[in-house]
Amino acid sequence: MIVRILGEGQFDVSDTDMDGLNELDAAVERAVDSSDVEVFTAALTALLDGVRSVGVAHDVDSLDESDLILPPSDASLDEVRQLLGDDGLIPG
Amino acid sequence: MSLWQRMTLIFRSKANKALDRAEDPRETLDYSYNRQVELLTKVRRGVADVATSRKRVELQVNQLEQQSTKLQGQAQKAIEMGREDLAREALTRKSGLTSQIGDLKAQQAQLQGEEEKLTLAQRRLQAKVESFRTRKETIKATYTAAEAQTRINEAVSGIGEEMGDVGLAIQRAEDKTAQMQARAGAIDELIASGALEDVTAAPGDDITRELDAMSSTSDVEAEMARLKGGSTPPQAIESAEDGGDILESEPVSEPAADGNEGGARP
């Protein structure tokens, strides 16, 4: 799987590593639903750290699409909501 | 569907919609390439803008630090002259500056971070644009319009995602820079309005004025004493306060270290 962390680039993550990441992902999702900022920040940091540690940087000059796109590490809860909403994702 | 799968789909559909307009699919290649080059220009400009803001904040930090050092020197001098009230005033002003300096340094670090992020984004986009250009020429030379469609779609969507990412990075950097520019502007205004200037501006500020006045008085007294007493060396500031002493006292065994120091210390 190719996972993109916005603002950082793409990572190759093996399918076996995805199980662990899915758990971290579920934690972030719960935090977004519960609107708990502190829990959200901690969960997002854990998820992105997970991707960086198991993932390998994808070829920088490849033109491959990612399978999964994650928000930037310093994204706020509101920003993530905005990214998931209908406007503001791709400027211009 | 997980949150990020949803986000991925939204991101991708927006990236593709932006490029989905050419009649001949091969025109899409050129259209996309032009947009990429535009975006590269924009990200370069973004890096330059953030760097300019960072330098402005650095300049302000330097200015305030100089002022802070100066106030420290004034406090020291005031103590030496037995003026605790002036020393207290100087230290109070200095502590106000210290918190401003702390805020500015935090901003400076944040801008530095944005600058690094954008520089990396620029490098990533540059590599992908190069790669896209090569792919574009190959597709144009090798395939008919119908055959090329799939390959064009692949290339265009792949780079479309990168463009969306870089575009977002630029927007975030612009937002942050705009916030800090507003604060930096407020500090410039504060300096210009004199709120800080009183504390700091070269020889005009009140503490300096008062210390200078005291120094020159004691310098004059010391000089007078020297003239009257022949070889009497300059007296210490303390003894200058009651002038009669100077004439009566024996020449002091060791000359006062700061008897003829007029200006603020660096």
Side-chain angles (χ1 to χ4, degrees):
Chain A
M1 291 259 285
I2 302 174
V3 179
R4 174 185 292 276
I5 299 178
L6 288 175
E8 288 180 40
Q10 295 172 302
F11 296 85
D12 291 317
V13 177
S14 74
D15 289 346
T16 50
D17 285 325
M18 283 309 290
D19 292 340
L21 292 180
N22 277 330
E23 283 172 31
L24 295 171
D25 179 25
V28 182
E29 201 166 338
R30 280 196 300 275
V32 173
D33 288 341
S34 69
S35 297
D36 187 326
V37 174
E38 274 181 37
V39 176
F40 163 79
T41 308
L44 180 61
T45 306
L47 174 62
L48 299 185
D49 283 347
V51 172
R52 293 186 200 108
S53 68
V54 301
V56 178
H58 192 68
D59 269 351
V60 74
D61 58 355
S62 86
L63 297 176
D64 301 324
E65 272 191 294
S66 309
D67 299 294
L68 210 55
I69 297 178
L70 300 177
S73 53
D74 57 349
S76 67
L77 191 52
D78 285 344
E79 248 182 318
V80 167
R81 291 232 172 81
Q82 211 189 345
L83 287 169
L84 287 163
D86 282 336
D87 51 80
L89 185 61
I90 296 177
Chain B
M1 193 189 296
S2 95
L3 201 63
W4 311 126
Q5 283 167 330
R6 225 173 92 209
M7 181 159 150
T8 308
L9 285 181
I10 294 170
F11 200 95
R12 196 171 290 161
S13 81
K14 293 209 174 204
N16 289 339
K17 209 193 295 172
L19 296 167
D20 187 20
R21 55 178 69 173
E23 290 271 309
D24 181 337
R26 281 173 298 186
E27 283 173 24
T28 309
L29 288 175
D30 290 325
Y31 177 69
S32 173
Y33 184 69
N34 289 339
R35 297 260 325 230
Q36 291 159 30
V37 174
E38 278 170 27
L39 187 62
L40 259 182
T41 311
K42 203 172 163 190
V43 73
R44 277 194 203 108
R45 205 163 48 222
V47 171
D49 285 349
V50 175
T52 306
S53 294
R54 176 178 54 75
K55 283 177 197 149
R56 181 178 180 192
V57 171
E58 271 172 18
L59 203 70
Q60 290 184 331
V61 168
N62 288 344
Q63 279 180 327
L64 295 190
E65 274 178 344
Q66 275 173 18
Q67 292 166 355
S68 174
T69 309
K70 186 179 160 194
L71 283 169
Q72 176 73 42
Q74 289 178 339
Q76 179 69 44
K77 186 137 199 251
I79 290 280
E80 283 164 14
M81 293 184 158
R83 288 292 305 268
E84 253 188 57
D85 56 331
L86 279 184
R88 197 173 298 280
E89 175 64 23
L91 291 179
T92 306
R93 292 184 192 179
K94 186 187 158 209
S95 94
L97 286 186
T98 305
S99 73
Q100 295 269 21
I101 292 171
D103 285 355
L104 284 176
K105 281 193 167 164
Q107 281 185 33
Q108 193 185 330
Q110 218 179 336
L111 285 172
Q112 181 95 45
E114 288 303 315
E115 196 178 335
E116 279 160 17
K117 268 190 237 165
L118 274 190
T119 307
L120 286 178
Q122 181 192 329
R123 252 182 247 152
R124 281 199 311 271
L125 183 62
Q126 179 89 51
K128 287 202 194 303
V129 170
E130 288 297 322
S131 166
F132 184 91
R133 194 175 53 81
T134 314
R135 183 99 60 107
K136 171 169 84 84
E137 296 313 320
T138 312
I139 292 171
K140 278 182 154 181
T142 320
Y143 298 94
T144 65
E147 288 171 327
Q149 186 69 70
T150 318
R151 283 174 178 78
I152 290 170
N153 285 348
E154 282 169 9
V156 167
S157 334
I159 198 139
E161 183 186 306
E162 188 69 39
M163 290 168 75
D165 189 350
V166 171
L168 187 67
I170 295 175
Q171 195 184 47
R172 299 180 97 236
E174 277 174 358
D175 289 350
K176 285 192 187 161
T177 311
Q179 284 173 13
M180 291 184 191
Q181 293 246 334
R183 277 197 247 162
I187 293 209
D188 278 345
E189 257 174 50
L190 207 60
I191 292 172
S193 76
L196 289 176
E197 197 171 348
D198 274 356
V199 196
T200 59
D205 75 82
D206 48 2
I207 295 180
T208 303
R209 241 186 337 261
E210 207 161 330
L211 289 177
D212 282 350
M214 287 171 63
S215 296
S216 56
T217 308
S218 57
D219 286 348
V220 168
E221 294 299 331
E223 182 79 355
M224 289 283 288
R226 195 179 63 75
L227 290 174
K228 288 180 189 170
S231 62
T232 308
Q235 299 296 302
I237 291 154
E238 295 81 58
S239 60
E241 277 171 5
D242 41 6
D245 263 14
I246 291 173
L247 290 175
E248 286 161 25
S249 65
E250 293 292 308
V252 283
S253 52
E254 80 188 286
D258 49 2
N260 50 8
E261 196 172 312
R265 293 180 176 195

